[in-house]
Amino acid sequence: MSVNLPKSELRGIRIAVATASSRHRDKLQKIFERAGLRVILNEPFSDSFIAKIPHNKIDVLLLDLDEGDETQHLLLEKLLESTEIPIIFNDVSALAFNEPGKQGKWFGILMGKIAEITGRLEGEMPDMEAGSYAVNETLSARDKTLATRVWVLAASLGGPDAIKRFLAKLPEDFPASLILAQHLGASFEPLLAQQLDRITPLRVMPARVGHSLHHGEIIVAPVGQRLRINPIGVIELLPQVIPSFYTPSIDTVITDIGLRFGANSGAIIFSGMCDDSVLGVRAMHAMGGPIWTQEAESCVISNMPDQVRNTGVSSYTGTPEQLAAKLVEHLTQRQADYG
């Protein structure tokens, strides 16, 4: 039988949260406080975070670590040597997805762990009601703007690092949606979305059928399927009937977005070693969408943006940081001109 953990069991527990994503920190702050916990620290995992722990009364630490970051492993060793406060290692990636049921299950399990590790729950831990602590993304999405401006970020070899640099410079109120077409294996789609979600205030997620696309969202294009945004702004995943050597096909993604959004679309071509994107940028450019490229000096491999520049359709070239600033400026101007 499923039961809810009483809020009174959790009231007053003092928790310190360390996670790299500012958006995740904001959400955790709200849902912990709603559950009766006191959030004492809430910031990225760093030397500064560790230094503050002895000066605050804390019952439990919640850490969301990037397994590929060696610096965080060294910080963890330092933390374990300096404190005996119970630590919960937790993956908060459920916050990135618009599935309240999964979010509720994740948060219910987390609440049970916190109650158990702090001595608030004895005996067998109860099953948590899936919706008891759901973070209602569906409701919050209604307050966002349905996508009317959509840009494609295209990348291959060396792309993930460039994309991270680019996304880290975008503001939380970014007035457009982004589709990431990054050559990769199918099993890496969710992992890439989770990694990028940590470093940007925007919401990063794999493509899901039926999701209504909103500004401030980044969709990772699927491998082996064709991503389409239908006339009412909802994601459709169709069979990839035209074989492509590259997955996902950047040409197809850029062409489809250009046809759907016209002058309200655009594409930025980042590091890569192939000609995938050349046909797509020509099609989008013909629809009125701007085409930009990452400068060769900042690429791991500049072959892909070089080939796009050779077509003559690229109107701006810069580093990932410069491209981010230019895009914000461009979109702000379009908002002022057209609303």
Side-chain angles (χ1 to χ4, degrees):
M1 180 175 67
S2 295
V3 296
N4 293 332
L5 189 65
K7 188 173 179 178
S8 59
E9 293 287 345
L10 302 169
R11 188 174 300 282
I13 291 177
R14 295 160 300 194
I15 187 168
V17 177
T19 181
S21 169
S22 60
R23 187 165 56 80
H24 287 172
R25 291 196 298 273
D26 290 342
K27 287 185 178 180
L28 287 168
Q29 180 89 25
K30 292 175 183 177
I31 57 183
F32 280 147
E33 290 178 348
R34 191 174 65 197
L37 282 71
R38 293 176 57 197
V39 180
I40 306 300
L41 297 174
N42 191 5
E43 56 190 67
F45 191 36
S46 63
D47 283 310
S48 175
F49 176 84
I50 295 173
K52 293 174 184 176
I53 291 174
H55 306 292
N56 292 276
K57 293 183 178 180
I58 297 170
D59 297 312
V60 62
L61 300 171
L62 176 67
L63 302 184
D64 178 40
L65 302 182
D66 183 350
E67 294 182 2
D69 189 337
E70 182 63 27
T71 301
Q72 292 200 1
H73 286 253
L74 296 174
L75 286 170
L76 178 58
E77 292 180 7
K78 182 176 180 179
L79 175 64
L80 293 173
E81 292 174 355
S82 63
T83 185
E84 295 183 355
I85 297 173
I87 300 173
I88 293 177
F89 298 94
N90 200 72
D91 179 7
V92 300
S93 59
L95 295 176
F97 305 114
N98 187 19
E99 299 180 15
K102 288 186 177 180
Q103 292 170 350
K105 182 177 180 181
W106 159 77
F107 193 65
I109 292 172
L110 176 58
M111 289 294 98
K113 289 180 181 178
I114 292 173
E116 186 176 37
I117 204 169
T118 57
R120 302 294 181 96
L121 183 66
E122 297 183 0
E124 184 177 354
M125 189 173 75
D127 295 329
M128 305 303 293
E129 186 71 37
S132 301
Y133 295 98
V135 182
N136 199 332
E137 290 283 356
T138 303
L139 292 177
S140 63
R142 294 173 185 168
D143 298 327
K144 299 178 182 178
T145 304
L146 284 170
T148 57
R149 292 177 288 273
V150 180
W151 278 60
V152 178
L153 310 179
S156 186
L157 184 63
D161 285 340
I163 296 295
K164 288 178 182 178
R165 290 169 56 188
F166 173 85
L167 294 181
K169 296 299 182 180
L170 298 183
E172 186 174 5
D173 58 348
F174 186 69
S177 306
L178 299 173
I179 306 295
L180 173 58
Q182 164 73 54
H183 290 158
L184 75 170
S187 61
F188 291 99
E189 289 173 43
L191 179 60
L192 179 61
Q194 290 175 20
Q195 289 178 344
L196 296 179
D197 195 66
R198 296 174 187 269
I199 53 89
T200 175
L202 307 185
R203 183 164 175 254
V204 188
M205 56 188 292
R208 293 201 310 276
V209 173
H211 175 75
S212 297
L213 186 61
H214 293 82
H215 288 172
E217 294 181 336
I218 305 168
I219 304 299
V220 178
V223 173
Q225 292 177 295
R226 186 172 184 172
L227 171 67
R228 296 280 296 275
I229 310 299
N230 71 18
I232 61 173
V234 174
I235 290 177
E236 297 177 351
L237 297 179
L238 308 175
Q240 186 71 52
V241 294
I242 302 176
S244 173
F245 181 78
Y246 305 105
T247 55
S249 168
I250 293 174
D251 279 325
T252 301
V253 174
I254 294 178
T255 299
D256 286 344
I257 295 300
L259 289 171
R260 170 66 175 82
F261 292 95
N264 285 322
S265 67
I268 303 177
I269 313 304
F270 291 91
S271 178
M273 187 178 65
C274 63
D275 62 355
D276 191 16
S277 72
V278 168
L279 296 177
V281 297
R282 284 174 170 158
M284 180 177 280
H285 183 260
M287 296 293 117
I291 307 299
W292 299 346
T293 48
Q294 182 181 354
E295 66 171 17
E297 292 77 8
S298 63
C299 292
V300 173
I301 298 291
S302 67
N303 183 255
M304 194 160 77
D306 285 344
Q307 294 207 41
V308 169
R309 278 189 285 273
N310 289 340
T311 67
V313 301
S314 176
S315 59
Y316 181 78
T317 295
T319 66
E321 293 81 5
Q322 290 170 336
L323 288 163
K326 180 70 172 178
L327 183 55
V328 172
E329 178 187 353
H330 171 82
L331 294 171
T332 301
Q333 186 61 53
R334 286 195 67 86
Q335 270 191 312
D337 291 342
Y338 305 105

Coordinates of all heavy atoms in Angstrom, one line a residue, residues 152 181 221 225-228 238-244 246 248-259 276-281 283-284:
V152 N 18.6 26.3 -34.8 CA 19.3 25.0 -34.8 C 20.7 25.2 -34.4 O 21.4 26.0 -35.0 CB 19.1 24.2 -36.1 CG1 19.9 22.9 -36.0 CG2 17.7 24.0 -36.5
A181 N 21.3 19.6 -32.9 CA 21.6 18.5 -33.8 C 23.1 18.2 -33.7 O 23.9 18.8 -34.4 CB 21.2 18.8 -35.3
A221 N 18.0 16.7 -30.7 CA 17.4 15.9 -31.8 C 17.7 14.5 -31.7 O 18.8 14.1 -31.4 CB 17.9 16.5 -33.2
Q225 N 15.4 9.1 -36.0 CA 14.1 9.6 -36.2 C 14.2 11.0 -36.7 O 15.1 11.7 -36.5 CB 13.2 9.5 -35.0 CG 12.9 8.1 -34.5 CD 12.1 8.1 -33.2 OE1 12.6 8.5 -32.2 NE2 10.8 7.7 -33.3
R226 N 13.1 11.4 -37.4 CA 13.0 12.8 -38.0 C 12.2 13.7 -37.0 O 11.0 13.4 -36.7 CB 12.4 12.7 -39.3 CG 12.4 14.1 -40.1 CD 11.9 13.9 -41.5 NE 12.0 15.1 -42.3 CZ 11.8 15.2 -43.6 NH1 11.5 14.0 -44.3 NH2 11.9 16.3 -44.2
L227 N 12.8 14.7 -36.6 CA 12.2 15.7 -35.6 C 11.4 16.7 -36.4 O 11.9 17.4 -37.3 CB 13.2 16.4 -34.8 CG 12.7 17.5 -33.9 CD1 11.8 17.0 -32.8 CD2 13.9 18.2 -33.3
R228 N 10.1 16.8 -36.1 CA 9.2 17.8 -36.8 C 8.5 18.6 -35.7 O 8.1 18.0 -34.7 CB 8.2 17.1 -37.7 CG 8.8 16.4 -38.9 CD 9.3 17.3 -40.0 NE 8.1 18.0 -40.6 CZ 7.3 17.4 -41.6 NH1 7.6 16.2 -42.0 NH2 6.3 18.1 -42.1
L238 N 9.1 11.2 -36.6 CA 8.7 10.5 -37.8 C 9.9 9.5 -38.2 O 11.0 9.8 -37.9 CB 8.4 11.4 -38.9 CG 7.3 12.5 -38.6 CD1 7.2 13.4 -39.8 CD2 6.0 11.9 -38.2
P239 N 9.5 8.5 -39.0 CA 10.6 7.6 -39.5 C 11.6 8.4 -40.4 O 11.1 9.3 -41.1 CB 9.8 6.6 -40.3 CG 8.4 6.6 -39.8 CD 8.2 8.0 -39.4
Q240 N 12.8 8.1 -40.3 CA 13.9 8.7 -41.2 C 13.9 7.9 -42.5 O 14.7 7.0 -42.6 CB 15.2 8.7 -40.5 CG 16.3 9.5 -41.2 CD 16.1 11.0 -41.2 OE1 15.9 11.5 -40.1 NE2 16.1 11.6 -42.3
V241 N 13.0 8.3 -43.4 CA 12.9 7.5 -44.6 C 14.0 7.7 -45.6 O 14.3 6.8 -46.4 CB 11.5 7.8 -45.4 CG1 10.4 7.4 -44.5 CG2 11.4 9.3 -45.7
I242 N 14.7 8.8 -45.5 CA 15.9 9.0 -46.4 C 17.1 8.7 -45.6 O 17.5 9.3 -44.6 CB 16.0 10.5 -46.9 CG1 14.7 10.9 -47.6 CG2 17.2 10.7 -47.8 CD1 14.6 12.4 -48.0
P243 N 17.8 7.6 -46.1 CA 19.0 7.2 -45.3 C 20.1 8.3 -45.2 O 20.3 9.0 -46.2 CB 19.5 6.0 -46.1 CG 18.4 5.5 -47.0 CD 17.6 6.8 -47.2
S244 N 20.7 8.3 -44.1 CA 21.8 9.3 -43.9 C 23.0 8.7 -43.2 O 22.8 7.8 -42.3 CB 21.3 10.5 -43.1 OG 22.4 11.4 -42.8
Y246 N 25.0 10.2 -41.4 CA 25.2 10.9 -40.1 C 23.9 10.8 -39.3 O 22.8 10.9 -39.9 CB 25.6 12.4 -40.4 CG 26.8 12.5 -41.2 CD1 26.7 13.0 -42.6 CD2 28.1 12.3 -40.8 CE1 27.8 13.2 -43.4 CE2 29.2 12.4 -41.6 CZ 29.0 12.9 -42.9 OH 30.1 13.0 -43.7
P248 N 22.1 12.4 -35.7 CA 21.0 12.7 -36.6 C 21.5 13.5 -37.9 O 22.6 14.0 -37.9 CB 20.1 13.6 -35.8 CG 21.1 14.3 -34.9 CD 22.1 13.3 -34.5
S249 N 20.6 13.5 -38.9 CA 21.0 14.2 -40.1 C 20.8 15.7 -39.9 O 19.7 16.2 -39.7 CB 20.1 13.8 -41.3 OG 20.2 14.6 -42.4
I250 N 21.9 16.4 -39.8 CA 21.8 17.9 -39.6 C 21.1 18.6 -40.8 O 20.3 19.5 -40.6 CB 23.2 18.5 -39.4 CG1 23.8 17.9 -38.1 CG2 23.2 20.0 -39.4 CD1 25.2 18.3 -37.8
D251 N 21.4 18.1 -42.0 CA 20.7 18.7 -43.2 C 19.2 18.6 -43.0 O 18.5 19.6 -43.3 CB 21.1 17.9 -44.4 CG 22.4 18.3 -45.0 OD1 22.8 19.5 -44.9 OD2 23.2 17.5 -45.5
T252 N 18.7 17.4 -42.5 CA 17.2 17.3 -42.4 C 16.7 18.2 -41.3 O 15.6 18.8 -41.5 CB 16.9 15.8 -42.1 OG1 17.4 15.0 -43.1 CG2 15.4 15.6 -41.9
V253 N 17.4 18.2 -40.2 CA 16.9 19.1 -39.0 C 16.8 20.5 -39.4 O 15.8 21.2 -39.2 CB 17.8 18.9 -37.8 CG1 17.3 19.9 -36.7 CG2 17.7 17.5 -37.3
I254 N 17.9 21.0 -40.1 CA 17.9 22.5 -40.4 C 16.8 22.7 -41.5 O 16.1 23.8 -41.4 CB 19.3 22.9 -40.9 CG1 20.3 22.8 -39.8 CG2 19.3 24.3 -41.5 CD1 21.7 23.1 -40.2
T255 N 16.7 21.9 -42.5 CA 15.7 22.1 -43.6 C 14.3 22.1 -43.0 O 13.5 23.0 -43.3 CB 15.8 20.9 -44.6 OG1 17.1 21.0 -45.2 CG2 14.8 21.1 -45.7
D256 N 14.0 21.1 -42.1 CA 12.6 21.1 -41.5 C 12.3 22.3 -40.7 O 11.2 22.9 -40.8 CB 12.5 19.8 -40.7 CG 12.3 18.6 -41.6 OD1 12.1 18.7 -42.8 OD2 12.5 17.5 -41.0
I257 N 13.3 22.8 -39.9 CA 13.0 23.9 -39.0 C 12.9 25.2 -39.9 O 12.1 26.1 -39.7 CB 14.1 24.1 -38.0 CG1 14.1 22.9 -37.0 CG2 14.0 25.4 -37.3 CD1 12.8 22.8 -36.2
G258 N 13.7 25.3 -41.0 CA 13.6 26.4 -41.9 C 12.3 26.5 -42.6 O 11.7 27.6 -42.7
L259 N 11.8 25.3 -43.0 CA 10.5 25.3 -43.7 C 9.4 25.7 -42.7 O 8.4 26.3 -43.1 CB 10.3 23.9 -44.3 CG 11.1 23.5 -45.5 CD1 10.9 22.1 -45.9 CD2 10.7 24.4 -46.7
D276 N 27.8 17.5 -43.6 CA 26.4 17.5 -43.2 C 26.1 18.9 -42.7 O 26.8 19.4 -41.7 CB 26.2 16.5 -42.1 CG 24.8 16.2 -41.8 OD1 23.9 16.6 -42.6 OD2 24.5 15.6 -40.7
S277 N 25.1 19.5 -43.2 CA 24.6 20.9 -42.9 C 24.6 21.8 -44.1 O 23.9 22.8 -44.2 CB 25.4 21.6 -41.8 OG 26.7 22.0 -42.2
V278 N 25.4 21.5 -45.1 CA 25.5 22.3 -46.3 C 24.2 22.4 -47.0 O 23.7 23.5 -47.4 CB 26.6 21.8 -47.3 CG1 26.6 22.5 -48.6 CG2 28.0 22.0 -46.6
L279 N 23.5 21.3 -47.3 CA 22.2 21.3 -47.9 C 21.2 22.0 -47.1 O 20.4 22.8 -47.6 CB 21.8 19.9 -48.3 CG 22.6 19.1 -49.3 CD1 22.1 17.7 -49.5 CD2 22.7 19.9 -50.6
G280 N 21.3 21.8 -45.8 CA 20.3 22.3 -44.9 C 20.4 23.8 -44.8 O 19.4 24.6 -44.8
V281 N 21.6 24.4 -44.7 CA 21.7 25.8 -44.5 C 21.3 26.5 -45.8 O 20.8 27.7 -45.7 CB 23.2 26.2 -44.1 CG1 23.5 25.6 -42.8 CG2 24.2 25.9 -45.2
A283 N 18.9 25.6 -47.7 CA 17.4 25.6 -47.7 C 16.9 26.6 -46.7 O 16.0 27.4 -47.0 CB 16.9 24.2 -47.4
M284 N 17.5 26.7 -45.5 CA 17.0 27.6 -44.5 C 17.3 29.0 -44.9 O 16.5 29.9 -44.7 CB 17.7 27.3 -43.2 CG 17.3 28.3 -42.0 SD 18.0 27.9 -40.4 CE 17.0 26.6 -39.9

